[in-house]
Amino acid sequence: MKRWIGPVLSFPVTAWLLLAFAAPMIVVVLLSLHEYPSPFGPVIQSPSLVQFVKILTDPFYLSVIAETVMLGLAVTAISALLGYPLAYWLARMPSKWRALSFAVILIPLLTNVVVRSLGIMLLLSPQGLINTFTGWFGIPPVETMLFNHGAVIVALAQVFMPFMVLALYDNLQNTSPRIHEAAESLGASPGMRFLTVDFPMSLPGLRSGVIVVFLMATTSYVSATLLGGGKVWTMGMLVLNEAISNLNATMASALSLVMTTVGLGFIALATLWLNRFMRWRQGVPSSPWTIPAWVATLVDTVGAPLRYLLLFCSIGLLILPLVLVMVQSFNDVPLATAAGFKGFTLEWYRRVLIEGDYTSNFVVSVKLALVAVAIAVALAMPAAFALARYPFRMRPLLLAFWMLPLSLPGVAIAVGMLKLLQVYLIIPPFAGLVSIHVVVILPFIITLLTTSAMSLDRSLEEAAASLGANKMRCFLLVTLPGMAPGIFAASLVGFLMSFGEVTVTSFLTTARLTTLPVRIYSEATFALEPTAHAISALLIVVTTVALALLGKFVRLDRLYSR
C-alpha cells in the first residue's frame, strides 16, 4: 500500500483547520499578552502578563471563574443522573423501535439553544407549566424559579444532556448479552446487574460524557444570559462583553485562555480519577467490589421506581420545552415570555410567513449553512478515507487535532477570528463566518463519514476493478453511491448544527449579516415578540421532518455510533 496516500488525503482538512482554527487561537494567545487593550493596534507587541495578573488577583473575576466551574459541575452531575436511565432505556429498546425512540434526543439536540432556552422560560415562569400543574393540587405558585442559578442549570442540562446520553449509549449498547446472561445465572437482580455490570462497563462513556458536557457548559453564555436575569455571570458572558461591548480583545483573549486552562485541567482530573476504576481496560486486574447486603436490598427495592422516575424527568426535560414553544406560537399574548394560554391566534405566523419579519435573517442562515456544509463535506470525505483505509504514522495525532475544536472554547476561536477580520479587511465577514462554521461542524462530519467509509463493502469495488473499471469510474459508480446515505446524514446534521449555531456566530455578525438564531437571541435579551415562537416552532417542525427523512436512509440509533 502506498503510504503517501493517507497524508495526501489528510492535507485539505488539516490545512483548513490550521488557517481557520489554529491561526485564530495563536492570535488569541498573542492578544492576551498585550499590556494594554488596543482595538486597532498590531497583533504582535511586547509580551506582558498584566491581563492574567489582573484576572487572577481581581475578586470579581475569581468569583466568576468559581461560579462558572460550579455551574459546569452541577450541569454535568444532573446530565449524568438523568442521562443514565435514558441511555439505558434506549440501549434496551427493541431494535425495531430504537431508531424511532432516538428522536427523543436528536430533535432537541439539533434544535438551536435559543429556542430551547425560551421553552425553559415557559416551563419555569410564574404562570408556566410547573406552577399551573401544581396549582391543580392547591399548591401555591413558586415565583422564584426563573432568573437564578437553578434556572440556568436546568436550561444547560436540557441543552447538553443529549451529549451525555450519546456517550453512555455507545458503551451500553455494545455490552455483550452474554455478560448479562452470566450475571443473571449467578442470581443478580436487574438492579444489581446494572450496579455490578452495566455501570462499570459504561465508565468509558461516562468519562467522555462528563468531559464534553463540562466543557460545553462552562463556555456557554446564551442560556445564562436569557435565564440568569443579570444575577448569573459566566466566563463566556465576560468574554462576549469584553470583546463586543468594551472592544477589549486583550482581556477577552486572556479570559478565553483562562477558560481553556480550566477546561484542560478538568479533562486531566476527570480522566485520572475515572481511570482508577477502569484498570481492566489496560489489562490490570481490578479489585473486586464488596457490596453490603443493605445496599443490595436498597437497590432492589428502589432501583426500578427510581429509574422510571428519572427516565420520565429526562424525557420531560428534553421534550416539554419544545412542546411549550409550539403551543406558545399560537398564544395571543403581547410578549414571548408571557406564559399562560390566553387565546388562539395565527397572527405570529402571519407576520413570519406573509410579512416576512425574519426572512432576511433566515436567508442568511440558510446560505451560511449550505456553504459551510458543502465545504465541510468536501474536506471531510478524503479525511474519512484516510482514517478508514490508509493508516499512516501521524494519523492518531492528526485525528486528535481534527477533534480539538470540540475540547476548546468556541468563544476563544471567535475572538481570534474577530481580530483577524479587523486586521485583514479584505476578508469578507461572510467568509469569516463560513470558516468558523466549518470548524464547528467538521468533527461531527468527519466522524459520520468515517463510520460510513468503514462500512463500505470493498468486494464491490474489487468486482468493478476486475471488470475493467479504472479507479475514477470505480469511485464514481461504486464507492460514491455506497457513501450516499452517509453523505446525506452528515450533510443534514451539519446543516442543522450550522443553522442553529449562536455561541460563535454572535461575535462575527454585522447589521446586514445577522443569522436567524442570533437575531432571536439578541431580541430575547430585551423584549421579544411571540413571532420568535412561531419561527421557532417552524424550525422544530423542519428538524423533525428532516430527521424523519434521514431515517429513511440511515437508522437514527446508528447516526452517532462510533
Side-chain angles (χ1 to χ4, degrees), residues 16 362-380 429-439 441-442 445 491 494-496 498-499 513:
W16 185 280
F362 174 79
V363 171
V364 170
S365 295
V366 170
K367 287 181 179 179
L368 178 60
L370 287 176
V371 175
V373 166
I375 294 174
V377 170
L379 294 171
F430 186 79
L433 276 173
V434 168
S435 63
I436 287 294
H437 276 236
V438 172
V439 169
I441 66 177
L442 256 179
I445 292 184
S491 300
F495 178 87
L496 292 174
S498 175
F499 187 93
L513 195 65

Side-chain angles (χ1 to χ4, degrees), residues 265-409:
F266 178 81
I267 291 175
L269 292 175
T271 302
L272 289 174
W273 185 67
L274 288 173
N275 281 350
R276 294 177 58 190
F277 304 97
M278 296 185 289
R279 294 179 179 177
W280 47 269
R281 288 177 61 86
Q282 285 79 39
V284 179
S286 300
S287 301
W289 291 6
T290 302
I291 300 177
W294 68 269
V295 174
T297 303
L298 182 65
V299 169
D300 291 337
T301 304
V302 305
L306 181 62
R307 175 164 66 91
Y308 286 113
L309 175 63
L310 293 176
L311 176 63
F312 175 80
C313 292
S314 62
I315 294 177
L317 181 60
L318 290 175
I319 299 300
L320 274 180
L322 305 186
V323 174
L324 291 175
V325 167
M326 299 192 70
V327 172
Q328 189 76 350
S329 67
F330 298 101
N331 195 4
D332 190 9
V333 290
L335 292 175
T337 54
F341 198 80
K342 306 301 181 182
F344 181 85
T345 182
L346 294 175
E347 172 64 19
W348 317 123
Y349 285 95
R350 185 188 68 80
R351 293 190 185 183
V352 171
L353 299 176
I354 298 178
E355 295 186 3
D357 284 359
Y358 292 84
T359 301
S360 60
N361 308 105
F362 174 79
V363 171
V364 170
S365 295
V366 170
K367 287 181 179 179
L368 178 60
L370 287 176
V371 175
V373 166
I375 294 174
V377 170
L379 294 171
M381 275 285 286
F385 278 96
L387 293 174
R389 295 190 174 183
Y390 303 102
F392 56 97
R393 183 176 299 176
M394 298 293 291
R395 186 174 66 171
L397 185 60
L398 281 180
L399 177 60
F401 176 61
W402 297 345
M403 297 296 118
L404 199 56
L406 291 177
S407 59
L408 293 181

Side-chain angles (χ1 to χ4, degrees), residues 75-97:
V75 171
T76 303
I78 292 175
S79 297
L81 182 65
L82 297 179
Y84 252 114
L86 182 53
Y88 191 84
W89 175 68
L90 290 172
R92 300 294 170 261
M93 181 71 62
S95 179
K96 64 178 180 178
W97 299 111

Side-chain angles (χ1 to χ4, degrees), residues 217-558:
T218 52
T219 58
S220 175
Y221 62 84
V222 175
S223 296
T225 302
L226 295 178
L227 292 155
K231 302 175 184 178
V232 179
W233 277 93
T234 65
M235 292 290 286
M237 294 169 65
L238 283 183
V239 173
L240 180 67
N241 185 64
E242 293 289 349
I244 303 300
S245 300
N246 299 338
L247 297 179
N248 190 349
T250 299
M251 178 56 73
S253 299
L255 289 168
S256 299
L257 291 182
V258 171
M259 290 173 60
T260 303
T261 304
V262 169
L264 294 177
F266 178 81
I267 291 175
L269 292 175
T271 302
L272 289 174
W273 185 67
L274 288 173
N275 281 350
R276 294 177 58 190
F277 304 97
M278 296 185 289
R279 294 179 179 177
W280 47 269
R281 288 177 61 86
Q282 285 79 39
V284 179
S286 300
S287 301
W289 291 6
T290 302
I291 300 177
W294 68 269
V295 174
T297 303
L298 182 65
V299 169
D300 291 337
T301 304
V302 305
L306 181 62
R307 175 164 66 91
Y308 286 113
L309 175 63
L310 293 176
L311 176 63
F312 175 80
C313 292
S314 62
I315 294 177
L317 181 60
L318 290 175
I319 299 300
L320 274 180
L322 305 186
V323 174
L324 291 175
V325 167
M326 299 192 70
V327 172
Q328 189 76 350
S329 67
F330 298 101
N331 195 4
D332 190 9
V333 290
L335 292 175
T337 54
F341 198 80
K342 306 301 181 182
F344 181 85
T345 182
L346 294 175
E347 172 64 19
W348 317 123
Y349 285 95
R350 185 188 68 80
R351 293 190 185 183
V352 171
L353 299 176
I354 298 178
E355 295 186 3
D357 284 359
Y358 292 84
T359 301
S360 60
N361 308 105
F362 174 79
V363 171
V364 170
S365 295
V366 170
K367 287 181 179 179
L368 178 60
L370 287 176
V371 175
V373 166
I375 294 174
V377 170
L379 294 171
M381 275 285 286
F385 278 96
L387 293 174
R389 295 190 174 183
Y390 303 102
F392 56 97
R393 183 176 299 176
M394 298 293 291
R395 186 174 66 171
L397 185 60
L398 281 180
L399 177 60
F401 176 61
W402 297 345
M403 297 296 118
L404 199 56
L406 291 177
S407 59
L408 293 181
V411 291
I413 310 169
V415 170
M417 181 58 71
L418 180 62
K419 184 63 178 180
L420 285 176
L421 292 178
Q422 291 174 349
V423 174
Y424 300 101
L425 296 177
I426 193 173
I427 303 176
F430 186 79
L433 276 173
V434 168
S435 63
I436 287 294
H437 276 236
V438 172
V439 169
V440 170
I441 66 177
L442 256 179
F444 298 94
I445 292 184
I446 290 174
T447 302
L448 293 172
L449 291 182
T450 301
T451 303
S452 182
M454 293 177 68
S455 66
L456 289 174
D457 187 355
R458 301 192 68 172
S459 63
L460 297 178
E461 300 173 30
E462 295 170 357
S466 68
L467 294 173
N470 57 33
K471 291 185 178 180
M472 180 58 68
R473 287 179 60 85
C474 182
F475 177 79
L476 293 176
L477 299 179
V478 179
T479 306
L480 196 59
M483 287 283 293
I487 294 173
F488 177 76
S491 300
L492 184 56
V493 170
F495 178 87
L496 292 174
M497 293 184 69
S498 175
F499 187 93
E501 213 291 318
V502 178
T503 304
V504 176
T505 311
S506 295
F507 285 79
L508 304 175
T509 54
T510 64
R512 297 183 179 180
L513 195 65
T514 302
T515 62
L516 182 59
V518 170
R519 177 178 171 182
I520 296 175
Y521 166 67
S522 62
E523 292 181 356
T525 56
F526 298 101
L528 186 65
E529 289 189 348
T531 47
H533 287 305
I535 192 65
S536 299
L538 293 174
L539 293 178
I540 294 171
V541 171
V542 168
T543 302
T544 305
V545 172
L547 284 175
L549 180 62
L550 178 60
K552 300 291 184 180
F553 297 90
V554 181
R555 284 182 59 92
L556 297 182
D557 57 317
R558 297 175 184 171

